[in-house]
Amino acid sequence: MKATKLLTTATVGALLFGMSAAAHSANWRYAHEEFEGDVQDVFAMAFKEYIEENSDNTVQVYRFGELGESDDIMEQTQAGILQFVNQSPGFTGALIPEAQIFFVPYLLPTDEETVIEFFNTSVAINEMFPELYAEQGLELLKMYPEGEMVVTLDEPFTSPEDLRGKNIRTMTNPLLSATYRAFGASPTPLPWGEVYGGLQTGIIQGQENPIFWIESGGLYEVSPHLVYTGHGWFTTAMMANQDFFDGLSEEEQQLVRDASEHAYEIIIEHISGLADESLAKIQEASDEVTVTRLDEEQIEAFRARAPEVEEEFIEMTGERGRELLEQFHADLEAVRAD
């Protein structure tokens, strides 16, 4: 398990030391949730390189653990200590309940090409979500997919009945908890920094993540049974502090948008084939790993439980959530029709 650094008063002090108003800072600070070389890090580094190649500004990238966990870096962004942050909707759901829509199971397709086309063309993602983020003082610059979700467990499973009595780690996200309750498991919210130890000691019996993160975080070492359920994709969002962004000149705002688009193009190319590469690394590293891909009949047993999660999403989010869900379905129908 890779070591992480704890957030300290000195660390935050170092960030604040010498800061002028964020809008005029030539050194922009950007934090994300993953390790060096992971998807969010590739996106951040591509953004950094574009900014530095096309302006006099610099970008300091902070990786997982260097400034705390996901909730910490979001608080720092809202406070203006950080100018940019990458945070998955799994955590943003505490601020923006509608962002939990990505945890409605079997809403998104599983094939990569369709997923990417959806992100490129979705009205929900590209028009509705920016308004929701702006209400929380955040300029949503890009949402992008990272990879299909894979469940790891202490033993293989093929049905909801197999998950009874299993504590599955979830992010602190009510809808994700609802999904695993619907699937028959016992959802157990834990910070990421406690997941490896929780699996190792048996506090939890399983968790879900894209396969590259399972490989990068070494989760297969303590949770070796990988199950492809086809229930969703891991999605993340890159955003800026709204006051900082609004304080930029029009030219710098366009620079930031262009850098975000450039990083998005890089990441879409990067994730192509990444899942297969990561699985191959895992299988080479461990003889204990098993891989189960549910067939259509087995998937249907899980998919049949998705409507109750959709209903819970609407209960949590009201009419705006209903409208967002309807737009998601319309966007997906449009992609599948092409």
Side-chain angles (χ1 to χ4, degrees):
M1 180 66 172
K2 298 186 179 181
T4 61
K5 301 176 183 176
L6 295 176
L7 179 65
T8 65
T9 302
T11 305
V12 174
L15 286 174
L16 291 168
F17 180 74
M19 277 182 65
S20 58
H24 303 291
S25 175
N27 180 38
W28 297 339
R29 297 166 177 84
Y30 180 160
H32 65 73
E33 304 169 308
E34 295 176 358
F35 297 123
E36 181 177 0
D38 285 340
V39 172
Q40 289 184 24
D41 192 53
V42 171
F43 186 99
M45 296 308 293
F47 177 85
K48 167 185 170 71
E49 289 165 8
Y50 188 95
I51 293 290
E52 294 179 353
E53 287 175 3
N54 292 279
S55 74
D56 293 330
N57 298 314
T58 58
V59 178
Q60 176 66 46
V61 174
Y62 298 90
R63 300 181 173 105
F64 173 79
E66 293 179 2
L67 298 177
E69 296 235 8
S70 188
D71 290 344
D72 300 311
I73 60 177
M74 175 56 78
E75 290 175 6
Q76 291 162 44
T77 304
Q78 289 187 297
I81 298 170
L82 296 169
Q83 284 73 58
F84 301 102
V85 68
N86 230 128
Q87 189 183 60
S88 72
F91 293 105
T92 311
L95 286 175
I96 306 168
E98 294 86 354
Q100 297 178 89
I101 195 170
F102 292 100
F103 295 94
V104 174
Y106 300 99
L107 180 60
L108 290 179
T110 54
D111 65 289
E112 186 176 292
E113 184 178 347
T114 306
V115 169
I116 291 170
E117 182 64 17
F118 171 73
F119 274 83
N120 288 341
T121 62
S122 169
V123 172
I125 287 177
N126 297 299
E127 296 181 23
M128 297 175 75
F129 266 116
E131 296 178 2
L132 295 170
Y133 276 72
E135 292 175 4
Q136 300 299 327
L138 299 165
E139 178 74 20
L140 179 61
L141 293 165
K142 212 68 193 171
M143 277 189 159
Y144 58 93
E146 295 196 43
E148 181 183 350
M149 298 301 284
V150 178
V151 181
T152 71
L153 204 65
D154 58 349
E155 59 183 348
F157 70 90
T158 59
S159 70
E161 288 71 27
D162 294 338
L163 292 180
R164 287 178 183 167
K166 300 292 187 182
N167 294 328
I168 304 292
R169 179 263 175 174
T170 63
M171 290 177 276
T172 51
N173 180 298
L175 201 73
L176 185 57
S177 293
T179 292
Y180 275 96
R181 280 196 300 272
F183 284 174
S186 299
T188 306
L190 275 181
W192 166 247
E194 299 177 21
V195 175
Y196 189 99
L199 290 166
Q200 193 171 36
T201 58
I203 294 173
I204 52 175
Q205 288 77 52
Q207 61 83 49
E208 65 162 33
N209 261 301
I211 194 70
F212 79 84
W213 190 237
I214 293 168
E215 188 273 322
S216 177
L219 298 180
Y220 64 90
E221 299 167 351
V222 289
S223 189
H225 303 289
L226 281 55
V227 182
Y228 287 75
T229 56
H231 73 277
W233 270 65
F234 191 84
T235 298
T236 193
M238 185 264 193
M239 64 209 87
N241 173 283
Q242 188 80 66
D243 290 339
F244 157 76
F245 186 81
D246 289 346
L248 296 176
S249 66
E250 289 185 12
E251 292 77 9
E252 285 192 314
Q253 287 184 357
Q254 191 59 50
L255 171 71
V256 168
R257 292 191 183 100
D258 290 345
S260 303
E261 289 293 338
H262 169 74
Y264 179 78
E265 292 173 4
I266 294 292
I267 215 63
I268 292 304
E269 181 178 349
H270 177 74
I271 64 173
S272 179
L274 179 62
D276 291 338
E277 294 172 12
S278 299
L279 179 58
K281 289 179 182 178
I282 289 173
Q283 291 176 313
E284 183 177 352
S286 174
D287 294 332
E288 297 181 7
V289 167
T290 68
V291 178
T292 303
R293 297 181 186 273
L294 301 189
D295 61 31
E296 189 56 37
E297 183 178 350
Q298 292 166 337
I299 285 175
E300 187 54 39
F302 287 94
R303 186 186 287 119
R305 302 183 179 213
E308 64 185 87
V309 184
E310 285 199 6
E311 286 301 316
E312 193 150 349
F313 172 75
I314 292 170
E315 288 178 13
M316 290 177 184
T317 58
E319 188 58 32
R320 292 207 306 185
R322 184 187 300 277
E323 291 174 2
L324 186 67
L325 186 59
E326 289 174 356
Q327 189 62 57
F328 255 68
H329 284 299
D331 293 342
L332 286 163
E333 286 177 15
V335 169
R336 292 181 175 121
D338 288 342

